């Protein structure tokens, strides 16, 4: 086995980031309920003995509490822990916000779970700086947006990046450069090897393989005899060789925002302001995902549950707020008759999505608007969503 593969990439090493939120569910519960801050918290099923721990806050971990452990056992280990029932919807909302932040850094993102993603940041260096700086910026941006900490690993490939993010948890960052790969990997316990599980770990240890160094230096015939077809792949990983690309999720087909009013709304100006607000929010989501839309949809529902859907194609694909707002408002005004019925639901959606490239954007004339949009997005990212609103948009009251 040689390092040929790495050498072919010598001029263009990739920068791959792995971001993983710290004690995700428990940290959200502590953030939402300040009484839990600094305390051992167990999030999971019922504490009557049959539930399982989803996660334990870092304060509970020194007692041995872990994910997937029976709740009863965790409570025995840490009797003063506060047990909180899982609130999945809440965690999904926060996860969406975290991914929105990640999209500010690159469109090449592969979500691995609710709190974890790989990012290909190779092309982001020009804008965001070297890996160390990007890791810091990502952690700050996530903290500013959702008030939670994460850990970030940066390395030339996914395998090392994931190990790097685990290496300094919580609230840490570890950058592994090409020349540091062996020093980082060699001492790691073999239990950290991707995909081997508990049984595999025991088999490795019975073969005298306790660390990545042991695996890297075991002669291939010996490895093949013991581990069969996986032997070569495992040894390549122990050497830090991994060329898997960051696999972008390509199934985003539409972005929409809708609400059902608690009381039906008849006031046309109020309804218009809702349309403008939702158009702005969908445009911002589009930009955060580095996408362009070709079509705007407006969905309206009257109190008798009749639903009306109107759509219009934009003059050209865009993610600027102004043309999307203007298109949505035209659709709404065309529907609105004098003496119209009140509405119980309004939605604004965008379809016909494609990945935005700078070249495409330069061809069109939204440049100035986009400058403002991007500035507003950045302010919201730093100071929170409610920090700024355009003059034309007011938040609808939903009381
Ligand atoms: P993890 O990222 O594995 O764990 P974590 O974020 O709680 O803690 P760490 O700081 O070590 O990353 O999982 C993310 C969330 O997924 C976790 O908060 C709860 C949920 N989860 C389960 O519900 N069951 C499980 O067995 C695991 C591992 C996670
Ligand atoms: Mg996590």
């Amino acid at each position: 086995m040689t390092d040929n593969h790495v050498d072919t990439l010598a001029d263009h090493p990739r920068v791959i980031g792995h971001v993983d939120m710290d004690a995700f569910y428990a940290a959200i519960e502590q953030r939402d309920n300040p009484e839990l801050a600094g305390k051992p918290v167990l999030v999971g099923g019922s504490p009557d003995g049959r539930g399982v721990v989803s996660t334990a806050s870092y304060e509970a971990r020194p007692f041995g509490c872990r994910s997937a452990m029976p709740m009863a056992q965790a409570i025995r280990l840490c009797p003063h822990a506060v047990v909180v029932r899982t609130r999945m919807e809440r965690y999904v909302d926060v996860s969406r916000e975290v991914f929105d932040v990640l999209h500010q850094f690159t469109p090449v993102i592969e979500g691995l779970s609710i709190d974890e993603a790989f990012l290909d940041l190779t092309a982001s260096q020009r804008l965001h700086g070297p890996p160390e700086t990007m890791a810091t910026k990502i952690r700050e941006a996530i903290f500013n947006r959702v008030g939670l900490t994460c850990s970030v690993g940066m390395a030339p490939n996914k395998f090392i990046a994931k190990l790097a993010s685990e290496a300094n948890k919580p609230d840490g960052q570890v950058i592994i450069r090409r020349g540091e790969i062996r020093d980082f990997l060699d001492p790691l316990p073999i239990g950290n090897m991707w995909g081997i599980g508990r049984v595999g770990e025991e088999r490795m240890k019975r073969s005298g393989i306790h660390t990545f160094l042991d695996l890297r230096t075991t002669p291939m015939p010996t490895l093949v005899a013991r581990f069969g077809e996986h032997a070569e792949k495992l040894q390549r990983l122990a050497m830090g060789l991994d060329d898997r690309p960051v696999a972008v999720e390509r199934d985003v087909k539409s972005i929409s925002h809708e609400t059902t009013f608690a009381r039906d709304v008849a006031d046309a100006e109020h309804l218009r302001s809702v349309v403008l607000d939702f158009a702005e929010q969908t445009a911002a989501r589009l930009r955060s995902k580095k996408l362009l839309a070709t079509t705007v949809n407006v969905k309206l529902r009257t109190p008798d549950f009749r639903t009306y859907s109107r759509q219009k194609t934009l003059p050209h694909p865009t993610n600027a707020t102004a043309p999307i707002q203007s298109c949505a408002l035209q659709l709404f005004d065309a529907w609105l008759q004098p003496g119209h019925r009140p509405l119980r639901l309004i939605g604004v959606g965008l379809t016909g999505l494609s990945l935005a490239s700078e070249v495409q954007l330069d061809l069109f004339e939204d440049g100035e608007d986009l400058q403002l949009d991007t500035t507003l997005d950045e302010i919201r990212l730093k100071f929170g969503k409610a920090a700024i609103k355009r003059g034309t948009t007011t938040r609808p009251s939903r009381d």
Side-chain angles (χ1 to χ4, degrees):
M1 179 78 42
T2 68
D3 279 4
N4 279 346
H5 180 79
V6 167
D7 290 341
T8 61
L9 297 173
D11 294 336
H12 302 287
R14 293 184 295 158
V15 176
I16 307 297
H18 180 259
V19 177
D20 189 321
M21 301 301 292
D22 300 323
F24 190 50
Y25 297 1
I28 294 172
E29 296 300 341
Q30 289 176 318
R31 178 198 72 171
D32 288 356
N33 179 2
E35 282 182 16
L36 299 180
K39 293 188 182 157
V41 173
L42 302 169
V43 179
S46 65
D48 63 11
R50 280 161 298 145
V52 166
V53 176
S54 293
T55 196
S57 72
Y58 273 82
E59 294 83 358
R61 295 190 188 191
F63 296 89
C65 303
R66 295 281 178 271
S67 292
M69 174 181 278
M71 185 60 87
Q73 183 186 353
I75 293 172
R76 274 198 301 278
L77 290 169
C78 185
H80 61 294
V82 184
V83 179
V84 181
R85 290 299 287 266
T86 311
R87 291 187 301 153
M88 208 53 215
E89 273 178 30
R90 184 89 181 122
Y91 313 145
V92 169
D93 280 349
V94 180
S95 171
R96 202 169 288 141
E97 285 189 89
V98 169
F99 276 80
D100 276 353
V101 174
L102 297 181
H103 278 279
Q104 304 277 336
F105 291 88
T106 173
V108 190
I109 294 184
E110 178 182 348
L112 292 179
S113 75
I114 190 166
D115 85 326
E116 193 185 343
F118 284 120
L119 292 76
D120 190 329
L121 295 159
T122 314
S124 310
Q125 295 176 90
R126 261 195 340 200
L127 189 61
H128 292 288
E132 187 91 49
T133 312
M134 281 196 284
T136 307
K137 280 189 183 177
I138 290 171
R139 289 169 52 228
E140 282 174 0
I142 290 178
F143 189 81
N144 288 336
R145 173 76 174 262
V146 297
L148 299 170
T149 64
C150 65
S151 299
V152 176
M154 296 263 183
N157 62 47
K158 297 207 301 193
F159 176 67
I160 304 171
K162 187 161 161 66
L163 290 166
S165 79
E166 281 163 20
N168 193 14
K169 253 187 171 299
D171 200 15
Q173 64 183 56
V174 171
I175 318 299
I176 306 297
R177 288 164 197 86
R178 283 163 41 78
E180 302 163 344
I181 293 175
R182 292 225 163 138
D183 285 347
F184 174 65
L185 293 181
D186 278 354
L188 290 180
I190 201 65
N192 286 16
M193 173 53 70
W194 177 78
I196 66 162
R198 282 232 167 275
V199 177
E201 181 181 350
E202 286 314 311
R203 276 177 65 196
M204 287 273 178
K205 286 180 177 167
R206 279 202 302 276
S207 307
I209 300 172
H210 298 272
T211 63
F212 280 39
L213 172 66
D214 297 336
L215 177 56
R216 174 164 78 75
T217 51
T218 301
M220 187 48 75
T222 313
L223 275 185
V224 172
R226 305 234 167 98
F227 302 100
E229 52 176 340
H230 297 302
E232 191 175 339
K233 189 171 174 196
L234 288 171
Q235 190 172 66
R236 282 178 60 84
L237 290 175
M239 291 173 159
L241 299 175
D242 172 24
D243 54 10
R244 290 171 299 163
V246 174
V248 185
E249 179 199 340
R250 295 200 184 277
D251 59 355
V252 185
K253 294 207 166 56
S254 69
I255 289 180
S256 63
H257 197 93
E258 66 176 47
T259 198
T260 302
F261 300 112
R263 266 187 250 131
D264 302 335
V265 177
D267 177 55
E269 278 321 299
H270 182 172
L271 293 171
R272 278 201 186 93
S273 77
V274 175
V275 170
L276 290 174
D277 184 27
F278 287 7
E280 179 169 18
Q281 291 194 43
T282 48
R285 282 185 68 79
L286 204 57
R287 288 191 294 276
S288 77
K289 294 183 184 304
K290 304 280 187 285
L291 294 169
L292 302 174
T294 51
T295 306
V296 178
N297 310 283
V298 169
K299 180 172 152 189
L300 308 164
R301 184 171 293 152
T302 47
D304 55 4
F305 279 89
R306 263 182 225 213
T307 304
Y308 302 82
S309 187
R310 298 284 183 271
Q311 66 176 50
K312 189 171 154 65
T313 302
L314 289 153
H316 56 75
T318 187
N319 56 18
T321 293
I324 290 172
Q325 278 186 325
S326 132
C327 189
L329 203 58
Q330 279 174 34
L331 288 168
F332 178 74
D333 284 342
W335 177 84
L336 200 69
Q337 308 285 330
H340 64 91
R341 277 162 296 170
L343 289 177
R344 72 184 316 268
L345 174 147
I346 285 191
V348 173
L350 302 171
T351 54
L353 307 184
S354 57
L355 258 183
S357 76
E358 284 159 29
V359 183
Q360 272 174 301
L361 285 179
D362 286 344
L363 287 176
F364 302 118
E365 288 152 10
D366 296 332
E368 230 167 79
D369 280 341
L370 268 178
Q371 194 63 50
L372 171 66
D373 292 341
T374 313
T375 308
L376 295 180
D377 291 344
E378 277 165 11
I379 292 171
R380 285 195 199 98
L381 187 68
K382 254 196 175 129
F383 302 106
K385 260 187 227 164
I388 191 159
K389 282 268 148 198
R390 275 158 212 273
T392 50
T393 314
T394 54
R395 183 154 288 284
S397 75
R398 298 192 188 114
D399 53 5

